[in-house]
Amino acid sequence: MADQYKQAGVDIESGAKAVDQIKSIVRATQDANVIGGIGGFGAEYSLKDSFAKFKNPVLISGTDGVGTKLLLAIQADRHTTIGIDLVAMCANDILAQGAEPLFFLDYVGIGKLNPTQIKAIVSGVADGCKQAGLSLIGGEMAEMPGIYTNGDYDLSGFAVGIGDKDELLGADKVQAGDVLIGLASSGVHSNGFSLVRKIIQDAKLDVNQTYPGFEQPLIDALLAPTKLYYHAVNPSIQADLIHSIAHITGGGIADNLSRSIPDNLTAQIDRTTWTVPHLFKALQEWGHLDTSDMDQVFNQGIGMVLVVPPSKVAAVQANLKAQSQTYYQIGKVVNRNRKAVEIN
């Protein structure tokens, strides 16, 4: 039967080998609350200590994938950092609500299971979990030759954190006069790659070429993993220095920051307060896009925005400096004008 299954495109032995190769990688991310290991029907994580810390504990979860950035990674045969992107897209979301990270699970759907490739992918996921303070407690690898061709795969995952209901960050805490602190992104992150790929195709770009203004081949700049902000931001969350946070993903600064601002206030942003990285300027030129198009799709060099009371700005900046996180004071919150977010 195993031979017939292999002839159908599913290799059970390769799956077992892949699991064996990633066990130590996964184990290295886990804290003392992880119960058992890989192999059970469900992953177990103790909440005894976590719940004891909060008066009104709430679990915060986020799920996501990495979109069509995967296609560039597959075409370039580079699989060691795409897992970082996966974790970042989920972990940065729960961080934006002030969650203390607990654990992460991933899912890999693939056309033909290659243990070496799986090890590279999961190594990236584990790296991302370490950067996010998450325990990688389980996941799934599904070999599906009828859905994916041999070289294709897809990734998804979810992160779970915990917080006190009364202390979670959000728009309800924001006040007029609050200061907006933008944290530098590490590149395009994991949004807008359908447009990136169209630009590459239409402009007939060679992703392996180092274009003027770049210090590396274009593919290296595009596949730079999404920045994880946990270590830079968590000290300020724990010290109650932040009112609200926006993780800048699809929709750009305006769409995402509007989710972190109440209906009666406006976030005014001064785009002269930071320099848009060359990669975005090049994509805009190659794609013949105007600034409004870029603002709607890309992060434009700002991967997260912190909404901070004026009296606590210095303390937040000190924490960011301590973690070598580049930041910019990009604006302020004022009484509502026409829109939730104005970029001038």
Side-chain angles (χ1 to χ4, degrees):
M1 185 62 179
D3 288 340
Q4 291 178 328
Y5 206 14
K6 190 172 184 178
Q7 290 172 11
V10 178
D11 191 338
I12 296 175
E13 292 180 1
S14 290
K17 185 178 180 180
V19 171
D20 286 339
Q21 289 189 0
I22 65 174
K23 279 184 177 179
S24 61
I25 297 170
V26 172
R27 195 177 301 117
T29 71
Q30 297 176 347
D31 61 25
N33 294 307
V34 179
I35 302 170
I38 296 177
F41 289 102
E44 301 175 14
Y45 189 92
S46 173
L47 293 175
K48 180 180 178 182
D49 294 336
S50 298
F51 269 80
K53 295 168 59 177
F54 302 104
K55 289 185 288 187
N56 190 2
V58 176
L59 293 177
I60 301 100
S61 60
T63 185
D64 213 331
V66 295
T68 57
K69 186 175 186 176
L70 260 178
L71 292 175
L72 287 181
I74 292 168
Q75 289 165 10
D77 195 24
R78 300 188 186 186
H79 313 286
T80 57
T81 60
I82 201 70
I84 299 176
D85 290 294
L86 176 64
V87 176
M89 295 305 292
C90 302
N92 286 340
D93 275 353
I94 68 169
L95 177 68
Q97 290 185 242
E100 181 178 311
L102 295 176
F103 59 83
F104 188 84
L105 288 95
D106 62 3
Y107 171 86
V108 184
I110 195 164
K112 183 171 178 58
L113 202 153
N114 180 322
T116 301
Q117 186 184 52
I118 290 293
K119 182 179 180 180
I121 295 168
V122 176
S123 293
V125 175
D127 189 356
C129 285
K130 291 176 183 177
Q131 294 183 45
L134 291 159
S135 292
L136 178 55
I137 63 173
E140 168 70 3
M141 294 179 295
E143 192 172 23
M144 298 183 289
I147 296 179
Y148 304 102
T149 60
N150 285 352
D152 290 339
Y153 63 91
D154 196 11
L155 294 178
S156 60
F158 75 86
V160 174
I162 191 170
D164 193 300
K165 186 177 186 300
D166 298 328
E167 297 177 4
L168 294 178
L169 307 182
D172 60 308
K173 290 182 166 57
V174 176
Q175 301 176 13
D178 282 355
V179 175
L180 304 174
I181 299 178
L183 308 187
S185 67
S186 55
V188 181
H189 285 184
S190 295
N191 296 100
F193 273 89
S194 292
L195 179 55
V196 168
R197 291 170 46 247
K198 185 177 187 303
I199 292 171
I200 291 171
Q201 180 179 358
D202 291 350
K204 296 180 172 56
L205 300 173
D206 179 358
V207 295
N208 296 308
Q209 181 175 332
T210 301
Y211 287 94
F214 287 84
E215 297 180 353
Q216 57 187 337
L218 179 58
I219 189 64
D220 292 340
L222 292 174
L223 290 182
T226 305
K227 173 75 176 180
L228 282 137
Y229 294 102
Y230 168 70
H231 289 293
V233 175
N234 189 58
S236 295
I237 293 176
Q238 296 303 314
D240 193 25
L241 302 177
I242 300 174
H243 279 161
S244 184
I245 295 177
H247 178 203
I248 310 305
T249 54
I253 295 173
D255 280 2
N256 289 285
L257 185 53
S258 66
R259 298 157 63 184
S260 302
I261 300 293
D263 292 341
N264 63 320
L265 299 176
T266 290
Q268 286 186 336
I269 295 175
D270 179 359
R271 67 169 72 246
T272 67
T273 54
W274 81 96
T275 300
V276 175
H278 178 72
L279 174 59
F280 296 101
K281 294 178 180 178
L283 289 170
Q284 182 172 359
E285 180 181 349
W286 291 328
H288 307 290
L289 304 170
D290 60 31
T291 300
S292 63
D293 293 328
M294 296 295 295
D295 286 346
Q296 289 176 3
V297 177
F298 300 112
N299 66 60
Q300 296 282 60
I302 302 295
M304 183 166 278
V305 177
L306 313 181
V307 186
V308 181
S311 62
K312 298 180 179 180
V313 168
V316 170
Q317 291 175 338
N319 287 336
L320 295 172
K321 288 178 182 177
Q323 293 295 325
S324 300
Q325 172 63 55
T326 301
Y327 66 89
Y328 313 93
Q329 190 165 315
I330 64 172
K332 61 183 178 180
V333 178
V334 300
N335 290 324
R336 174 58 64 98
N337 293 324
R338 292 178 303 163
K339 298 184 291 187
V341 179
E342 294 179 347
I343 305 177
N344 302 307

